[in-house]
C-alpha cells in the first residue's frame, strides 16, 4: 500500500526521578546523602533511508514515544538515559508542524539524521542538596517532562523527469520500457493509481530517475480525477515530459493546453520548468497521417521541424530538438526542448528520447 501523507504525534522521553538515599556502611556513622541523578529522557530523531519509499509503515494518527530515563540510585549512581527514538522516512519526506503548516525539515539525502525534540532532563538526587545547614536532605528532583509535538509527514518523490499526461496515453508503458519500474499496464484509464519511480540507465555509469503519476484530467488542480493527489510528487522535478496521444479521441491542442494549464495552476514554479513533449502511440496511427498530425502540432507550438540531430531520431517522421539544453548557449525555456513521435511498444525513437532527456537533465546537474 502506498501512503504519502500521515499525521503523527511524537513525544520525547521523560527524565528519570532523582534518588533519595544515604550512605550506609559498616564503621561509617551518619553517612551523608548519596542519591544519584535520574537519567535523561530519550530524544526523537528522523533518519532518511533509501530502503523505504512509502509512509505506509506508519499507522493512522499513531503516537510515537521515546523511552523515559531510569530513576537514579544510591551510591551516587545516575540512572540510565532513555534510548533515542529514530523515525525512518523515505527520501523526499517533508516534516511539517500540524498547527502552523511550517516545514520543519526536508529529508532529501540517504543516511541524513536530524534531531527533532530533546528528552527531558533527569532530576537531581538528594546529594546535590546537602549543605552545612542541611546535612540530611530528604528530597530530590523529579525528572523533566518530555516534549510532545503534532506533525505531518508529506512525501514528495525525488525524480529528474516527471511524466505528465492524460490517462491511458502510455506513461506506464514508457517507464516500464526505459527503466527498471514495473507498473501495471492495461488498456483502460487510470490504470496507474500510485506514483512510480524508475531508474533509466545511460551506459554503465550514468542514469536519471523518472517519475510516473496517475493521469491528469481537466480540473485536476481543483481535485478532479486522481492527479491532484499526486501532483506534488513531481514538484521536485526540474524537467517535465508531456505525453500527448496521437491516437486519442482528444484533440492534440486540447491535450497539451489542458496539461500545461493544470500544471501551472497547481504550481507556478512547476509551470516554468524545462519540458519536452513525446507524441505517443505512433504504432497505431496510419503512417500517411503521422506527418500531417505532427506538422499541425508544430504549427500550434510555433516551431519548425529539425533537419539534423545528435540523438538519432528517426528522420522518416518529423521531430524538433533545440540546438542546446544550456540556457547560456541558446536554450529557449518557453519552448519544448524536444518534440518527437514515439512508440514504446515498437521502441520507435525510445533510445533517442532517453539520451535527449538525459542531455536535458545533465544541463541542470552541471
Amino acid at each position: 500500500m502506498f501512503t504519502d501523507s500521515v499525521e503523527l504525534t511524537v513525544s520525547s522521553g521523560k527524565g528519570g526521578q532523582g534518588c533519595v538515599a544515604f550512605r550506609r556502611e559498616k564503621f561509617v556513622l551518619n553517612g551523608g546523602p548519596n542519591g544519584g541523578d535520574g537519567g535523561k529522557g530519550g530524544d526523537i530523531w528522523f533518519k532518511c533511508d533509501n530502503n523505504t519509499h512509502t509512509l505506509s509503515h506508519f499507522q493512522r494518527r499513531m503516537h510515537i514515544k521515546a523511552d523515559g530515563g531510569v530513576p537514579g540510585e544510591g551510591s551516587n549512581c545516575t540512572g540510565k538515559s532513555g534510548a533515542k527514538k529514530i523515525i525512518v522516512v523515505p527520501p523526499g519526506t517533508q516534516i511539517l508542524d500540524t498547527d502552523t503548516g511550517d516545514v520543519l525539515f526536508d529529508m532529501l539525502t540517504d543516511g541524513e539524521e536530524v534531531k527533532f525534540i530533546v528528552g527531558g532532563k533527569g532530576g537531581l538526587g538528594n546529594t546535590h542538596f546537602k549543605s552545612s545547614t542541611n546535612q540530611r536532605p530528604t528530597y530530590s528532583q523529579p525528572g523533566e517532562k518530555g516534549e510532545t509535538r503534532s506533525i505531518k509527514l508529506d512525501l514528495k518523490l525525488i525524480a529528474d523527469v516527471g511524466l505528465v499526461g492524460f490517462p491511458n496515453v502510455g506513461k506506464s508503458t514508457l517507464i516500464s520500457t526505459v527503466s527498471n519500474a514495473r507498473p501495471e499496464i492495461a488498456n483502460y484509464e487510470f490504470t496507474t493509481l500510485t506514483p512510480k519511480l524508475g531508474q533509466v540507465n545511460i551506459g554503465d555509469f550514468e542514469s536519471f530517475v523518472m517519475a510516473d503519476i496517475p493521469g491528469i484530467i481537466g480540473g485536476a488542480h481543483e481535485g478532479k480525477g486522481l492527479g491532484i493527489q499526486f501532483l506534488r510528487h513531481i514538484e521536485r522535478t526540474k524537467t517535465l515530459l508531456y505525453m500527448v496521444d496521437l491516437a486519442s479521441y482528444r484533440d492534440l491542442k486540447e491535450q497539451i493546453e489542458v496539461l500545461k494549464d493544470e500544471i501551472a495552476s497547481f504550481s507556478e514554479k512547476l509551470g516554468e520548468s524545462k519540458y519536452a513533449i513525446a507524441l505517443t502511440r505512433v504504432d497505431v496511427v496510419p503512417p500517411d497521417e503521422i506527418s500531417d498530425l505532427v506538422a499541425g502540432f508544430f504549427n500550434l507550438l510555433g516551431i519548425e521541424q529539425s533537419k539534423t540531430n545528435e540523438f538519432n531520431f528517426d528522420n522518416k517522421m518529423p521531430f524538433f530538438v533545440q540546438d542546446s539544453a544550456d540556457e547560456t548557449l541558446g536554450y529557449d525555456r518557453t519552448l519544448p526542448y524536444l518534440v518527437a513521435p514515439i512508440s514504446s511498444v515498437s521502441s520507435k525513437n525510445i533510445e533517442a528520447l532517453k539520451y535527449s532527456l538525459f542531455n536535458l537533465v545533465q544541463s541542470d546537474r552541471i
Side-chain angles (χ1 to χ4, degrees), residues 22-316:
F22 296 91
R23 185 178 178 190
R24 291 292 181 267
E25 295 179 31
K26 190 175 182 180
F27 307 120
V28 176
L29 300 178
N30 300 323
N34 68 350
D37 302 338
K40 175 182 173 295
D43 303 329
I44 295 288
W45 288 69
F46 282 96
K47 181 178 180 180
C48 186
D49 188 354
N50 267 344
N51 293 315
T52 182
H53 66 283
T54 175
L55 302 176
S56 57
H57 52 287
F58 297 105
Q59 299 175 7
R60 190 170 183 270
R61 297 187 179 279
M62 66 188 301
H63 192 165
I64 300 176
K65 302 177 181 178
D67 294 338
V70 176
E73 298 180 358
S75 300
N76 291 319
C77 291
T78 300
K80 183 179 179 181
S81 296
K84 68 179 183 182
K85 187 70 174 181
I86 300 178
I87 303 174
V88 178
V89 296
T93 301
Q94 287 185 332
I95 302 160
L96 298 89
D97 187 291
T98 303
D99 298 326
T100 64
D102 294 337
V103 177
L104 305 174
F105 301 106
D106 201 355
M107 310 296 289
L108 300 175
T109 308
D110 180 44
E112 177 185 4
E113 292 189 17
V114 294
K115 184 189 293 186
F116 180 39
I117 50 178
V118 179
K121 293 181 180 179
L124 299 177
N126 69 335
T127 187
H128 291 277
F129 302 103
K130 64 184 179 181
S131 67
S132 58
T133 57
N134 185 11
Q135 298 183 6
R136 186 180 170 80
T138 57
Y139 51 87
S140 62
Q141 281 185 337
E144 291 184 1
K145 293 183 178 180
E147 186 179 354
T148 298
R149 298 280 297 274
S150 294
I151 58 172
K152 181 179 181 181
L153 304 184
D154 268 348
L155 175 59
K156 297 182 179 180
L157 299 180
I158 301 174
D160 298 302
V161 177
L163 302 183
V164 180
F166 279 85
N168 206 31
V169 298
K171 299 190 303 299
S172 297
T173 307
L174 176 63
I175 198 172
S176 67
T177 301
V178 301
S179 77
N180 58 356
R182 294 295 175 264
E184 181 182 352
I185 300 172
N187 189 27
Y188 54 84
E189 295 190 347
F190 294 114
T191 311
T192 301
L193 299 177
T194 61
K196 299 291 188 297
L197 284 182
Q199 178 175 303
V200 182
N201 293 319
I202 306 293
D204 295 329
F205 304 104
E206 298 284 3
S207 66
F208 65 90
V209 177
M210 181 178 284
D212 175 24
I213 65 170
I216 295 173
I217 62 175
H221 72 281
E222 298 174 344
K224 295 181 180 180
L226 297 175
I228 185 62
Q229 301 176 38
F230 302 109
L231 276 171
R232 66 173 174 269
H233 290 294
I234 57 173
E235 273 190 291
R236 297 186 189 275
T237 62
K238 295 183 178 179
T239 302
L240 299 178
L241 178 63
Y242 290 98
M243 301 188 65
V244 176
D245 188 356
L246 289 173
S248 174
Y249 62 88
R250 298 183 179 94
D251 182 73
L252 300 184
K253 178 181 179 182
E254 175 194 352
Q255 291 185 62
I256 190 63
E257 288 182 352
V258 170
L259 292 174
K260 293 188 71 174
D261 182 64
E262 291 301 321
I263 292 296
S265 298
F266 176 76
S267 168
E268 183 178 346
K269 179 180 178 182
L270 200 58
E272 297 175 353
S273 300
K274 292 183 177 181
Y275 71 99
I277 301 175
L279 302 174
T280 66
R281 299 211 295 171
V282 296
D283 55 297
V284 299
V285 178
D288 56 338
E289 295 181 13
I290 294 176
S291 294
D292 291 338
L293 284 171
V294 177
F297 191 70
F298 284 0
N299 290 333
L300 173 66
L301 299 178
I303 58 177
E304 296 182 358
Q305 177 181 345
S306 298
K307 303 300 182 182
T308 59
N309 74 97
E310 58 181 304
F311 307 111
N312 201 29
F313 281 105
D314 188 347
N315 288 314
K316 295 178 181 178

